[in-house]
Amino acid sequence: MGTRGLEVVRFRKRYYIRWNKYDSYFEGLGAEIVARIPEDPEEYRKWLQSMRESYAATERTLEKHIYEIHDGSKPDYSLFNQFEELPSELPNLSRDPFVEYIYIINLDEEVLTMNYGIHWKLNNIPRKNNLWIKAIADSIYIGKPTISPDICPEEHMASLALDVTRDQTIGYGFHVVTPKNDITGGRAVFLTRMLTTALRAYKDEIIRLGKEWSPDSFPFRELTFAFLSIASGQADFLSFPESVSHHFKWPGWLNERGAGDKAPLLEFGSMSHRPGDPPGASPTETMYWLEGVLVRLSLEPCGKDVTEAVDWGFEQGCTNFQVVVISLFKVTFAEVSLKDNEPHVKLTKPLSLSPLHSDYCLSTHPRERPECKDEVQRLRYGERILSHNHFSSSTPNRLRHFFPGFVSLVNFFDIAASRRAVAKAKDPFPPEVYDRVLDFVDYKTWKSCLLVSREFRSSCLRNYRIDDRTRIIGSPYVGEITKGEDKTVLRLFFDLEDMEAGGILPMEGSDYFDRCPTPNHTWMPLVGSDRRALMTYVAIWFSQVKPRDGHVKFRAEDDDFTTE
């Protein structure tokens, strides 16, 4: 039968993905894969060594001819034609909705994973009477399979999740504060909206693999850096008249065909790199400065992380600074100062970035997903919220409610940047003059003006520039769209001004390709400085509402989360 699947080999954290068109179910491709893995301990050891040597050779070949970027080079696509995509530590395993079965042979941890939630010890799969097939069961969570402990002993099961330490001790005097979570103005709403889009683009990878990633791992560093770059305003946003083709097999970076005059650009999540540079756009360390804020990466923010970040800041010669401790799920903010010549820390409790929680992850032991017997299967709250394309991000109030960490992250970096901006005793010109000057500067100059002075920054943010051509006029607003007689939905609208052609259009943003995009009103984040990566799977498409979309009434938003 035409049951589609993926056969994946993980080696040195990189995923080598092959497509399987027929018979991918457990009794088909699954049984074939199990049969390939020797049961005899000595034969298993030889097989494992041989597999590792084979993929090490493949990695060397790809590194030499594909991953390393040279000007004018043309990659030899035949070298990775056998794979669905260029192998990466941040794989796209869920782009094809018709794939029903996924098998991951993990040569690093010696685990065979099936459909993300079934983890067998690679050298101890229960083969007698096909027990491994009989033991596969539905869990109480929709779409998350497990292993029945009533049928299979736990000695055959495995877990890929990393242990988390939660040391709440803080080595300095401190007091707890509440972070700012207002969301007003075009900048704050647009950046928060882009953060929710980025999260949605990678939520499946985070849920399926996130607990396997340590803070110094490539996926963890890249995703958190992308969140921080967008929130801080460090990221740029590229607009394309037509979408970048995801059907074209990129060599990990984009040439003129994919990026126009911005080429070459790294493709976000790719292992490609310039000679002498590491892959990706993020710093290789787990502690670094970004836009004047000290960043600490953590599996789960705790007191120990804050203490170590403060220690590191003092070692850098700083006495007054801001700290962000961030994971894939939560964030903690801190402000460090000297009080009576003694260090003092103001900090927040950990805030959830989004409705996703770490206990949703599938890398954990199968026992974390109880077998469904008489219960009704359920979809966890955060996943249910994010499954509605527009609901959680259709008004500023909903952004604040469902994404408190993201909203506070945008505000925290805004406050830090305002403090960095030069404070002047008296400005020689009224604000209207600054506003007029900003009408004629290019995007790069506009970004530099953000730090000229606090007054200049305020003028810059009054009409937020997305790129060289487009800016947001004023604050976004809510549209109530009536479809049919009794269907009412809320949508978030922005007034976008074309600074070249003139004219202001009310536009609705969408994460998905569910409308025909207006030319030059589709943006993707470009993160990094010296090493720049385009997030090709993260895009907000802005479009005007057509008459066929229903009647639109603009109104003041409310806190009703049950409208749709």
Side-chain angles (χ1 to χ4, degrees), residues 277-293:
D277 286 342
S282 64
T284 55
E285 302 84 10
T286 58
M287 199 129 57
Y288 54 85
W289 295 96
L290 180 69
E291 299 296 307
V293 173

Side-chain angles (χ1 to χ4, degrees), residues 437-446 449 465 468 499:
V437 169
L438 292 169
D439 286 342
F440 297 96
V441 302
D442 60 22
Y443 177 70
K444 185 176 181 181
T445 304
W446 176 84
C449 289
R465 294 278 289 271
D468 246 336
M499 299 180 67

Side-chain angles (χ1 to χ4, degrees), residues 1 38 62 88 102 105 132-133 138 157 177 181 231 233 255 286 292 333 358 371 396 417 441 495 559 562:
M1 295 178 63
L62 293 176
S88 170
I102 294 93
I105 303 171
W132 67 271
I133 295 178
D138 292 330
M157 306 178 197
V177 296
N181 70 341
N255 56 20
T286 58
F333 305 99
S358 60
E371 181 182 0
V441 302
D495 283 337
D559 292 307
T562 60

Side-chain angles (χ1 to χ4, degrees), residues 16 37 74 76 78 84 126 157 183 246 354 376 387 403 409 422 477 485 505 521 533 558:
Y16 297 78
I37 303 169
K74 293 184 178 180
D76 183 355
S78 65
E84 280 300 290
M157 306 178 197
I183 179 167
H246 295 174
S354 75
V376 176
S387 67
F403 302 93
L409 194 63
V422 179
Y477 47 92
E485 295 183 358
L505 296 174
H521 289 100
D558 55 34

Side-chain angles (χ1 to χ4, degrees), residues 441-458:
V441 302
D442 60 22
Y443 177 70
K444 185 176 181 181
T445 304
W446 176 84
K447 289 195 81 170
S448 299
C449 289
L450 288 167
L451 296 178
V452 168
S453 72
R454 293 175 185 173
E455 292 74 15
F456 225 135
R457 179 178 177 82
S458 178

Side-chain angles (χ1 to χ4, degrees), residues 91 96 189-190 209 276 288-289 345 381 415 461 483 496 511 534:
D96 186 342
V189 177
F190 177 81
L209 306 172
Y288 54 85
W289 295 96
V345 181
Y381 174 76
I415 292 170
L461 296 182
K483 299 187 177 184
L496 300 187
D511 292 355
L534 183 66

Side-chain angles (χ1 to χ4, degrees), residues 284-538:
T284 55
E285 302 84 10
T286 58
M287 199 129 57
Y288 54 85
W289 295 96
L290 180 69
E291 299 296 307
V293 173
L294 198 164
V295 173
R296 161 78 178 204
L297 307 185
S298 171
L299 283 176
E300 185 168 316
C302 65
K304 182 181 179 182
D305 294 312
V306 174
T307 301
E308 291 180 355
V310 174
D311 290 344
W312 195 78
F314 284 140
E315 290 172 4
Q316 302 288 306
C318 301
T319 55
N320 294 275
F321 54 96
Q322 290 81 39
V323 176
V324 169
V325 181
I326 189 169
S327 72
L328 294 170
F329 303 96
K330 292 187 176 182
V331 63
T332 290
F333 305 99
E335 183 174 347
V336 184
S337 61
L338 291 179
K339 188 175 182 180
D340 298 327
N341 291 323
E342 292 292 328
H344 187 80
V345 181
K346 293 191 294 184
L347 78 159
T348 68
K349 294 180 179 179
L351 281 156
S352 294
L353 291 173
S354 75
L356 294 185
H357 295 283
S358 60
D359 58 359
Y360 294 1
C361 289
L362 292 172
S363 300
T364 53
H365 196 282
R367 76 170 75 93
E368 301 298 322
R369 291 170 292 285
E371 181 182 0
C372 184
K373 295 180 179 179
D374 299 324
E375 305 94 335
V376 176
Q377 282 188 300
R378 62 181 185 270
L379 189 65
R380 284 180 163 177
Y381 174 76
E383 294 173 287
R384 187 170 69 252
I385 291 298
L386 291 179
S387 67
H388 295 286
N389 295 354
H390 296 281
F391 176 71
S392 60
S393 53
S394 57
T395 75
N397 275 341
R398 291 181 181 179
L399 287 171
R400 184 189 302 112
H401 180 82
F402 293 115
F403 302 93
F406 278 154
V407 171
S408 296
L409 194 63
V410 171
N411 287 331
F412 191 78
F413 273 104
D414 181 46
I415 292 170
S418 296
R419 292 178 179 176
R420 289 169 60 209
V422 179
K424 294 184 178 179
K426 184 178 181 180
D427 268 298
F429 302 108
E432 294 81 4
V433 174
Y434 291 141
D435 293 344
R436 189 59 179 156
V437 169
L438 292 169
D439 286 342
F440 297 96
V441 302
D442 60 22
Y443 177 70
K444 185 176 181 181
T445 304
W446 176 84
K447 289 195 81 170
S448 299
C449 289
L450 288 167
L451 296 178
V452 168
S453 72
R454 293 175 185 173
E455 292 74 15
F456 225 135
R457 179 178 177 82
S458 178
S459 294
C460 288
L461 296 182
R462 216 169 349 259
N463 294 315
Y464 178 73
R465 294 278 289 271
I466 301 176
D467 61 12
D468 246 336
R469 178 170 180 157
T470 308
R471 65 180 178 180
I472 299 171
I473 302 299
S475 297
Y477 47 92
V478 175
E480 185 179 86
I481 302 178
T482 302
K483 299 187 177 184
E485 295 183 358
D486 56 359
K487 176 66 173 177
T488 300
V489 294
L490 299 183
R491 294 290 185 262
L492 187 61
F493 286 84
F494 297 79
D495 283 337
L496 300 187
E497 180 184 15
D498 187 325
M499 299 180 67
E500 293 181 3
I504 299 173
L505 296 174
M507 310 284 282
E508 177 198 349
S510 174
D511 292 355
Y512 302 100
F513 309 151
D514 57 355
R515 295 169 186 253
C516 294
T518 302
N520 300 311
H521 289 100
T522 302
W523 283 278
M524 296 178 181
L526 178 62
V527 300
S529 51
D530 296 332
R531 297 176 284 122
R532 312 207 76 189
L534 183 66
M535 302 184 76
T536 55
Y537 285 101
V538 179

